[in-house]
Amino acid sequence: MTQIKTEPQTIDIGIGGMTCASCVARVEKALNKVPGVTSATVNLATESARIAVADPELTDARLRRVIRDAGYEPRSMEAAEAADNNSSPWAGFAPVAWGLLLSAPLVLPMLGDLWGQHWMLPAWVQFALATPVQFILGARFYKAGWHALKALTGNMDLLVSLGTTAGWLLSVWLWLTSSGHHAPHLYFEGSAVVITLVLLGKWLEARAKRQTTEAIRALHALRPDKAHWIGEDGEVDVPVDEILTGDLIVVRPGERFPLDGDLVEGQTQVDESMLTGEPLPVSKAAGAQLTGGSINGDGRVLMRVTAVGHETVLSRIIRLVEDAQAAKAPIQRLVDKVAEIFVPVVLLVALLTLAAWLFMGASFETALIHAVAVLVIACPCALGLATPVAIMAGTGVAARHGILIKDAQALETAHRVQTVAFDKTGTLTVGQPRLTQHVAAPGQDGTTTLRWAASVQSGSEHPLARAVTAAAKDQGLTVPEASEVSAVPGRGVQAMVEGRTLLLGSLRWLQQEGMDTALWADEVQALQAQGATLSALAERTPEGVQGLLLMAFGDEPKAGAAEALTALRARGLKLVMISGDNQAAAEAMARRLGLRPEDGEVLADVLPGDKAAQVQKLREGGRIVAMVGDGVNDAPALAAADVGLAMGNGTDVAMHAAGITLMRGDVALVGAALDISARTVAKIRQNLFWAFAYNVAGIPLAALGYLNPVIAGGAMALSSVSVMSNALLLKRWKPRD
C-alpha cells in the first residue's frame, strides 16, 4: 500500500495576554510539544502564532486548548484584525484612566515634601485608593502570573504581581502594627503607581502596534466588496466573493478593480501605485492585464476575470507581507533563549537583594523595597518587542514602495550582501527584441523597404516580427497588405507585396537562396560584434535574389538600469551579469549598462541550468551573494543565493524562489531593498542594545538601592514605548531618488 505524504499545513491563531519575551517562549514551548506540530513561531508584536502542522487530524481547536492551558487567550485572526481596524486611538484607555485617577491623590501629597510640607493622606484613605488598583486593575497580572507559576516558568506579569503585592502587603503590615502616636511611611502609592504605569505602557504599546500593522490593513482595504457583474439580465451588483473566473465585470471611472483580469472593451489609465510604488498612471487598452486593487482612471471598461480569491496578485502580496511580519529573524531566536531563563534569574537576584540588605543590617522594610524595585525594573517587555516591531515596520514601509520581503531572514541578510549577480534578459534589459538599426541596400529607400518588411511580418507572432511591425508603427508608416504568405520553418517567410515577391529571414537562408551579402559586409561585421541578431529583406527577381534591407535586432537596457548599477557600485558592491549570450553580445550589452567585462563583471555562455552553479562559485570564500532574476530558469539561482530578488514583472516561480520581490521590475529597487534591510537591522540592533542596557544597568541600580519601585515602574514602561517609537521611525523611509 502506498503511503501518501502530506505537506505541512499552516495554522494562524491570535493570542491575547502575552506581555513579554518569556510569554513568547512559553507558548512556543507548549505548542512545539504537541504531537504533529513541526514548528511553532509566536510573535509578540502581532500577538499571534504561526503553527506548521504535519498531522491532518490535528485540529485548530486542539491547538487553541494548548494555548489556553498555557495561560493565554486564543483568538481568531479575523477578530483580532477587526478589533484593530475598528478601534479608536483611545481604545483600551479606561483602565489606565481609572489607575491615574486613583493614584494621583496618593502621589500629589508627596510633592509637598519638596517644600517641607507633610500632606500625607490618612492610612485608611491610602488603603481605599490603592486596593482597587492593586486587585481590580491589576487582576490581569495575577491571572497571568498564576498561570506562569503553574507552568513553573516566569513572565512580566509574575514579576509585577509579586513586586506590587509585596509593596501593598508591607504597607498594610506597617499600618496595622503602628502605634496611634506615630504615622508610618506607607508604600501604597508605589504599588498603585507601578501598576498604573505598566498599564499605561501596555496601552501605548498597543497604540503604536496598530501603526506597525497599517501596511496590512491598507492592503486589505484595497479590495472592493462589490463588483458590477454582467449576467443574463445585464449589469448587476454582486459581492466580489461570488465572482468566478471567466466572468465579465464592468469597472467605472474612479473605481478600484475588484479582481485580476484582462481588459475586453474600452481603454483607460490605471493607477497601480499600490502595487508598484510608481505614481504615474499606466495606459491600458484591449488585451491588457488588470490587477485587482488598482484604480481605474477616466474610462468605463469591461474586463474578464482571470483570478479570484487567494489567486489574485493582491492576495498573494498580502500573504507575503503577513508571512514576513510573522516570521522570526535569526537574531530573535537568540533573544528568545535569553528571555526563557531571564525571569527565573531575576527572581533569584531579587531574593539575593533581600537577603543581602538584611545581612547588612537594613530593616525588613528597606530590604523588601529594594527587592521589589529589582522585580519591577527587570521585566523583559522591551526585549520581546525589539525585533518584531522593527521587522513589521520595515516590511510594511518596503511594501508601500513596491518591495515585498517574503521572510525575515532575507531582510536580516540583505544588508550584508557583498556581490550582486544579475540575470540579463528581462532583468537588466527590457526583454523584448527591438529593431535597433536598419540599413537599406544601395539605391533603395529605407522607409519603403521597412514598409514592405512590416507587411511581410504583419501576420506573424514571432518576437522579431513584432519588432519590425512596431518599428513601422512608431514611424507612422502605412503598411500594405501581403498575399501568398508562406513560412519557411526556422528560416523566414515569403510573401507577395505590391506585386513583388519578397523574402525575409536569416542571412544564412537568404545566402542559400542566392542573395549576395557583400553589399553589407562592413555593417554585418560591426553589428555582429555588438551582439545584434541580423535579418534581411530581399526580392526574388528574374535576375536572382536582390538584397533590399538589412535589419539589426537587439534588446535595450531598462530605463535607469545603468544609473542603478552605478549606485550599487558606489556602495562598494561587486557586480556580475550572468548571460546565456555569446561573449561578444554579452560584453556589448554590459558596456551599455556601465559594467566592466575586463574586471570579470560578465559571465557569458552560461546555460540556464548552470546559473545556480555560477552563484555558488561567487559565494566561495564566504562572500554574501544576492541574485536578481525574473524567469523560470532563474529560480534555482535565486534559491542558491544568500538573498534572492525577483523582478515582479517576472514569473511566479521566480517570485516564490526569491526572498524579496521587486514589484516594479525597476533595477533601482535592488539598492532600495538593500537599504531598507540595513535600516531595519540597525533599528533591531538599537532596540536590543537599549533593551539589554536598560536591564543590565537597571537591575544593579535597583539592587543597590538607587531606584525605588515607582521610578522602576516608570522606567520599565518607558523602555517598551521607546522601543516601539524607535521602530516606527522606519515608516519615514523612502527609496533614494
Side-chain angles (χ1 to χ4, degrees):
M1 183 177 176
T2 304
Q3 191 173 6
I4 299 173
K5 187 178 179 182
T6 58
E7 293 292 325
Q9 178 190 0
T10 301
I11 298 174
D12 292 331
I13 301 176
I15 305 174
M18 294 192 300
T19 52
C20 66
S22 298
C23 299
V24 171
R26 183 146 60 95
V27 177
E28 283 186 351
K29 185 181 288 185
L31 288 169
N32 281 315
K33 285 181 179 177
V34 179
V37 172
T38 57
S39 68
T41 303
V42 177
N43 190 314
L44 178 61
T46 59
E47 294 186 324
S48 64
R50 173 153 292 179
I51 309 147
V53 177
D55 185 359
E57 296 183 1
L58 184 58
T59 62
D60 182 90
R62 170 74 178 117
L63 297 172
R64 290 172 179 273
R65 178 63 59 85
V66 170
I67 294 170
R68 189 174 295 281
D69 290 343
Y72 301 93
E73 184 71 26
R75 302 182 299 185
S76 70
M77 297 298 293
E78 292 78 10
E81 289 170 3
D84 281 344
N85 292 339
N86 299 327
S87 56
S88 71
W90 295 95
F93 189 71
V96 181
W98 278 109
L100 292 171
L101 189 65
L102 294 170
S103 301
L106 296 170
V107 177
L108 290 175
M110 297 172 64
L111 299 176
D113 292 341
L114 299 175
W115 291 278
Q117 303 294 320
H118 300 286
W119 297 338
M120 195 59 64
L121 295 173
W124 70 269
V125 176
Q126 294 184 51
F127 175 83
L129 291 169
T131 301
V133 178
Q134 183 70 46
F135 296 106
I136 298 176
L137 300 181
R140 54 174 289 183
F141 302 114
Y142 286 105
K143 182 181 177 183
W146 172 243
H147 284 292
L149 276 177
K150 285 198 299 183
L152 299 177
T153 60
N155 59 10
M156 184 203 82
D157 301 294
L158 180 62
L159 297 181
V160 171
S161 57
L162 286 175
T164 58
T165 302
W168 186 88
L169 287 174
L170 175 63
S171 299
V172 172
W173 170 257
L174 293 173
W175 174 32
L176 295 178
T177 56
S178 65
S179 63
H181 304 289
H182 174 68
H185 180 79
L186 306 178
Y187 298 93
F188 284 121
E189 81 284 345
S191 61
V193 170
V194 166
I195 287 176
T196 301
L197 287 175
V198 174
L199 290 174
L200 177 61
K202 294 293 154 198
W203 178 77
L204 290 171
E205 277 177 29
R207 185 171 178 177
K209 187 181 71 182
R210 285 196 290 272
Q211 295 184 51
T212 64
T213 56
E214 279 180 358
I216 291 291
R217 293 203 304 275
L219 288 171
H220 278 290
L222 296 175
R223 297 188 289 200
D225 297 324
K226 299 280 187 181
H228 312 304
W229 175 62
I230 304 296
E232 294 180 357
D233 300 325
E235 188 177 317
V236 182
D237 286 355
V238 299
V240 170
D241 294 339
E242 296 180 15
I243 300 295
L244 303 174
T245 302
D247 283 351
L248 292 173
I249 58 176
V250 169
V251 183
R252 298 164 184 163
E255 293 183 339
R256 292 191 182 274
F257 292 97
L259 297 161
D260 297 355
D262 295 329
L263 200 157
V264 176
E265 186 181 295
Q267 56 184 15
T268 186
Q269 299 277 324
V270 179
D271 179 359
E272 296 180 337
S273 58
M274 43 67 71
L275 288 174
T276 64
E278 178 59 56
L280 297 176
V282 181
S283 297
K284 300 284 184 178
Q289 292 183 342
L290 303 168
T291 306
S294 56
I295 303 173
N296 185 24
D298 54 3
R300 183 181 186 273
V301 297
L302 181 68
M303 65 177 287
R304 189 180 304 278
V305 177
T306 57
V308 298
H310 297 297
E311 299 302 315
T312 64
V313 171
L314 182 59
S315 293
R316 294 206 302 270
I317 289 172
I318 291 173
R319 186 66 178 179
L320 283 173
V321 178
E322 287 177 339
D323 287 348
Q325 296 191 344
K328 188 166 290 187
I331 195 170
Q332 181 64 25
R333 298 189 183 100
L334 175 63
V335 174
D336 291 344
K337 288 180 180 178
V338 172
E340 195 170 352
I341 61 169
F342 193 80
V343 173
V345 170
V346 169
L347 291 171
L348 181 61
V349 171
L351 288 173
L352 291 174
T353 301
L354 179 68
W357 279 95
L358 290 173
F359 180 78
M360 291 186 297
S363 65
F364 180 76
E365 173 187 340
T366 302
L368 184 62
I369 290 299
H370 297 326
V372 169
V374 169
L375 289 175
V376 173
I377 201 161
C379 295
C381 307
L383 204 59
L385 291 167
T387 301
V389 294
I391 287 173
M392 289 173 67
T395 53
V397 72
R400 267 207 322 272
H401 293 286
I403 304 167
L404 298 184
I405 300 170
K406 192 168 73 174
D407 60 71
Q409 186 163 349
L411 180 66
E412 191 174 324
T413 306
H415 79 286
R416 297 189 290 116
V417 165
Q418 299 162 294
T419 301
V420 185
F422 292 90
D423 168 57
K424 181 179 78 72
T425 306
T427 301
L428 293 175
T429 66
V430 177
Q432 296 176 351
R434 296 182 183 180
L435 182 62
T436 57
Q437 195 172 341
H438 58 281
V439 182
Q444 298 292 332
D445 179 61
T447 301
T448 302
T449 50
L450 182 59
R451 288 177 59 247
W452 293 342
S455 176
V456 173
Q457 299 280 47
S458 59
S460 175
E461 291 298 319
H462 192 279
L464 297 185
R466 288 201 297 267
V468 174
T469 55
K473 185 179 178 182
D474 291 342
Q475 294 188 25
L477 304 181
T478 303
V479 178
E481 188 175 346
S483 62
E484 300 180 23
V485 181
S486 61
V488 182
R491 297 185 178 188
V493 63
Q494 179 174 305
M496 290 291 294
V497 179
E498 295 182 343
R500 298 172 182 268
T501 303
L502 300 179
L503 293 81
L504 192 153
S506 67
L507 294 182
R508 180 178 297 178
W509 174 54
L510 293 174
Q511 277 182 311
Q512 292 173 353
E513 293 292 321
M515 186 186 80
D516 183 10
T517 59
L519 70 162
W520 292 306
D522 294 339
E523 288 87 349
V524 168
Q525 188 176 356
L527 291 169
Q528 285 181 335
Q530 296 172 15
T533 300
L534 301 180
S535 293
L537 176 72
E539 181 184 0
R540 193 185 299 278
T541 68
E543 290 79 22
V545 177
Q546 306 294 324
L548 301 177
L549 183 69
L550 177 68
M551 293 170 288
F553 301 89
D555 207 353
E556 290 292 303
K558 281 186 176 179
E563 294 80 359
L565 294 177
T566 302
L568 289 172
R569 185 179 280 111
R571 296 167 70 107
L573 297 169
K574 175 179 172 62
L575 306 179
V576 177
M577 184 183 81
I578 303 176
S579 173
D581 290 346
N582 63 68
Q583 193 70 36
E587 289 187 2
M589 179 56 71
R591 288 193 172 90
R592 293 181 68 185
L593 289 162
L595 295 173
R596 304 165 184 166
E598 62 275 11
D599 294 338
E601 293 185 347
V602 177
L603 299 176
D605 295 310
V606 179
L607 297 173
D610 295 337
K611 285 186 179 181
Q614 292 293 337
V615 171
Q616 289 290 6
K617 283 184 182 178
L618 293 172
R619 294 180 67 195
E620 291 176 356
R623 292 188 67 84
I624 307 298
V625 176
M627 174 69 194
V628 188
D630 72 318
V632 173
N633 60 342
D634 297 325
L638 292 169
D642 296 284
V643 180
L645 296 98
M647 293 294 184
N649 58 335
T651 65
D652 286 347
V653 176
M655 290 170 66
H656 284 298
I660 300 173
T661 298
L662 311 177
M663 292 303 297
R664 208 161 55 240
D666 185 352
V667 183
L669 288 182
V670 174
L674 302 183
D675 187 50
I676 188 60
S677 166
R679 300 289 184 93
T680 304
V681 170
K683 289 298 179 189
I684 290 173
R685 288 173 175 169
Q686 291 168 15
N687 286 349
L688 287 175
F689 171 79
W690 287 113
F692 275 114
Y694 160 81
N695 284 309
V696 169
I699 291 174
L701 288 173
L704 294 171
Y706 293 107
L707 292 176
N708 65 45
V710 173
I711 295 174
M716 186 197 71
L718 184 63
S719 70
S720 298
V721 175
S722 63
V723 162
M724 297 288 294
S725 302
N726 188 44
L728 286 173
L729 292 176
L730 283 170
K731 294 178 67 177
R732 301 178 180 178
W733 176 85
K734 290 182 180 178
R736 297 172 185 171
D737 296 328

